[in-house]
Amino acid sequence: MNKLITSLAIAATCVGLLSGCAGKSASSTDLIERTAPITMNSVAFTDYNLKRTWSRGFGQLEDGERYRLSLVQHGQRPTATGTTEVYVVLRNHTDYDYRIEARTQFFDQDGVPTDVKPTWQRSTIPANSIATYRELSTSTQPLQYRVEVRELN
């Protein structure tokens, strides 16, 4: 009888813990970047784990952002040949070198994709440091851009 009561108590505890874990699903995080309309001249972290904002929940003592990487600045400038250079400065908040991939999609002034299909470029951001990702367009016309960043697996 004691074994049965002990087993039921353990099962009830496990169910309680599992239901608490289920409460910490993707819907409990702030998914602004994942659900917002795509904007031009922007940088998006397409890997969910690189930057997220938590609302208070199971196992969480306070609200707030948790970063592995953050965006320091980004922009575009003309090159000597008349093409466009896009740059993104990223900061690594971890104690280890962080490997990422980034790609740039260029758009004309009407929002239509231009150039060739974007390819992922690998980069390593040193521990507790910054690094710059750069990409050049192949066109001399005025362009807009969108950079995507993800963790390298």
Side-chain angles (χ1 to χ4, degrees):
M1 185 69 155
N2 281 341
K3 277 187 166 183
L4 178 62
I5 292 173
T6 302
S7 296
L8 288 174
I10 291 171
T13 301
C14 290
V15 167
L17 289 173
L18 289 174
S19 65
C21 291
K24 192 64 172 168
S25 66
S27 63
S28 69
T29 59
D30 188 1
L31 302 176
I32 292 173
E33 283 192 22
R34 296 178 83 182
T35 59
I38 292 176
T39 57
M40 296 298 136
N41 301 331
S42 63
V43 178
F45 290 97
T46 59
D47 187 336
Y48 172 66
N49 288 319
L50 289 178
K51 178 185 171 193
R52 60 170 93 173
T53 304
W54 294 96
S55 298
R56 190 169 299 181
F58 180 75
Q60 184 79 22
L61 298 177
E62 60 185 54
D63 293 346
E65 295 182 322
R66 305 294 184 260
Y67 297 106
R68 290 185 187 173
L69 296 181
S70 64
L71 178 63
V72 176
Q73 71 180 46
H74 66 94
Q76 66 182 2
R77 60 185 177 187
T79 65
T81 60
T83 60
T84 299
E85 177 189 42
V86 168
Y87 64 92
V88 176
V89 181
L90 297 169
R91 179 178 176 190
N92 180 351
H93 295 270
T94 69
D95 292 331
Y96 54 91
D97 292 351
Y98 212 85
R99 297 176 56 204
I100 60 147
E101 291 182 310
R103 69 179 179 184
T104 302
Q105 176 72 61
F106 288 100
F107 299 87
D108 66 16
Q109 296 303 311
D110 295 323
V112 177
T114 62
D115 291 341
V116 296
K117 181 179 177 184
T119 56
W120 292 101
Q121 294 182 32
R122 295 178 177 186
S123 181
T124 300
I125 305 171
N128 297 301
S129 188
I130 63 171
T132 303
Y133 159 80
R134 299 174 194 272
E135 182 69 64
L136 297 171
S137 71
T138 59
S139 172
T140 57
Q141 68 182 14
L143 297 173
Q144 303 175 83
Y145 65 92
R146 182 172 193 265
V147 177
E148 298 174 336
V149 180
R150 68 183 183 190
E151 182 176 9
L152 178 61
N153 293 324

